[in-house]
Amino acid sequence: MVDGDQLLRGRFNTTLRVGLGLIAGAAFVVLVLRDVNLAEVSDLLQRATLAPLFLAVLAFVADFLLRAVRFWIMLGQTTGRSLPLGPTIGPFIASFGMSDVLPLRLGDGFRVLWFSRRFGISAGTVLGTMIVERILDLVTIVILGAGALMLAEVSAPAALMRNFQLVLVVALAGGLGMLFVPALLSRLFERLFRGVELSIASSLLSALKATSAAVLQVGSWRRIAVLTVISLALWILESLVLIGAWLSLGGSPDHLLQPFVAFAFSTLGTLVPSLPGHFGAFEFFGVQAFALVGVDAQMAVAVVLLAHVILWAPTAIFGISWLLFGAYERVQRPT
């Protein structure tokens, strides 16, 4: 049983994390808007054309369907079982929608719980699959961002350029390092709690071992190569949302690398604690990347805001709708 002190500490830690995210997100919003003429931003948004936005939404739908298929492939590889594709798509997308409206990425916890109960898979295995998924996302967006940054015409000071290059290096190193974290933690816990009968410790150790096994199971070179190609494809699809917003607001079709660079760094910015839906961090890093390639601040803010709404609203609406009307799918017994 959990005693009162542990419960209070848990509540305090949760409140602290939510509070820090809100403060950081609000600070990012202030930094973005402090030197921007909001009237000009509003005027730009009112002149948006619909055709590029329609294509952006289609690309986003294709992106998330491909993400769901990738997770289904990875989960099947990890478990060695042939899982049905249909029942995985709805809850997979809904988990992102929940994280878009709730703090602490609670949608991730929902995904672990739902797939564990629905398919009779251990929570550690689902979590391990999600870790590899996030590593693939991080590594591929870094590759795309680095490539776009090398090809784009940069008009920023050398010091700012070095900062962006450092972000790429740190993100890549962090993503690759995550592959080894579950295995290292499981070994550490084995040594710390050897011979100690604690239900919480044994449960945590079992989860870490299952996570480590899932990482190793997914991580063969051939499988990683296939999954990397899929990951590159889905990130290119998602980048079309920001490119669509750029074209909708009058951006030049001859300078598509500019919104692509902004997309890469705004996406990496979502790793930083912020408001639910990554509002604040997404805008700040996207606007800074636009500045790096010489785009006007008002145009940058308008494009990033418009793209963020397209990236946020569909999954948020789907997540809420699935919770309200898809309850029949949330069975408790394994298939």
Side-chain angles (χ1 to χ4, degrees):
M1 294 181 64
V2 180
D3 60 32
D5 289 340
Q6 288 177 318
L7 187 60
L8 286 174
R9 284 196 296 271
R11 289 178 177 176
F12 174 77
N13 291 335
T14 299
T15 303
L16 180 63
R17 290 176 62 188
V18 173
L20 289 175
L22 293 175
I23 293 170
F28 283 131
V29 171
V30 171
L31 289 172
V32 168
L33 298 180
R34 63 178 179 175
D35 297 321
V36 172
N37 187 321
L38 293 179
E40 290 186 25
V41 173
S42 177
D43 183 59
L44 280 169
L45 291 172
Q46 290 175 20
R47 291 189 278 116
T49 56
L50 293 180
L53 298 182
F54 178 72
L55 294 176
V57 172
L58 288 181
F60 187 56
V61 172
D63 162 44
F64 259 85
L65 290 175
L66 187 56
R67 286 181 183 276
V69 170
R70 182 186 63 171
F71 185 71
W72 169 72
I73 292 172
M74 293 171 65
L75 207 56
Q77 290 175 344
T78 304
T79 60
R81 292 164 50 188
S82 178
L83 302 175
L85 174 61
T88 68
I89 295 176
F92 173 85
I93 298 175
S95 70
F96 282 87
M98 293 174 202
S99 292
D100 281 341
V101 296
L102 298 173
L104 301 176
R105 297 197 62 86
L106 291 177
D108 288 348
F110 161 79
R111 201 198 315 182
V112 171
L113 181 63
W114 193 93
F115 279 92
S116 176
R117 292 185 175 181
R118 177 67 173 80
F119 296 114
I121 303 169
S122 72
T125 299
V126 180
L127 183 59
T129 305
M130 290 172 62
I131 288 175
V132 179
E133 174 193 52
R134 298 297 162 79
I135 293 169
L136 283 168
D137 284 340
L138 183 57
V139 171
T140 49
I141 195 63
V142 167
I143 291 171
L144 291 172
L149 198 58
M150 286 189 296
L151 295 174
E153 295 181 6
V154 177
S155 59
L160 183 59
M161 180 67 173
R162 284 195 296 270
N163 289 338
F164 275 84
Q165 292 170 337
L166 179 62
V167 168
L168 291 173
V169 171
V170 171
L172 182 60
L176 295 176
M178 287 174 62
L179 287 171
F180 304 100
V181 168
L184 291 175
L185 286 178
S186 64
R187 291 180 182 179
L188 177 62
F189 270 70
E190 278 184 333
R191 293 185 178 183
L192 288 176
F193 296 104
R194 184 174 296 166
V196 178
E197 296 295 331
L198 288 176
S199 59
I200 295 177
S202 60
S203 299
L204 182 58
L205 182 58
S206 298
L208 286 171
K209 286 183 176 180
T211 301
S212 177
V215 170
L216 293 173
Q217 184 68 22
V218 175
S220 71
W221 287 110
R222 180 177 296 178
R223 290 172 177 176
I224 288 295
V226 172
L227 293 170
T228 299
V229 171
I230 295 174
S231 302
L232 288 169
L234 63 86
W235 278 119
I236 291 172
L237 282 171
E238 191 161 319
S239 74
L240 295 178
V241 175
L242 208 141
I243 290 173
W246 167 264
L247 295 173
S248 174
L249 296 176
S252 171
D254 296 328
H255 296 90
L256 296 184
L257 276 175
Q258 293 177 331
F260 195 93
V261 169
F263 165 75
F265 282 95
S266 60
T267 302
L268 288 171
T270 61
L271 298 172
V272 179
S274 189
L275 300 170
H278 306 296
F279 282 97
F282 185 91
E283 283 72 21
F284 176 78
F285 286 95
V287 170
Q288 293 300 307
F290 265 132
L292 189 69
V293 291
V295 175
D296 172 75
Q298 279 65 234
M299 178 65 171
V301 171
V303 171
V304 173
L305 279 176
L306 182 57
H308 199 171
V309 170
I310 297 172
L311 291 168
W312 173 80
T315 52
I317 293 170
F318 183 89
I320 294 170
S321 301
W322 193 87
L323 278 176
L324 293 176
F325 305 111
Y328 65 93
E329 285 193 89
R330 299 194 297 279
V331 297
Q332 301 299 312
R333 65 181 183 276
T335 56

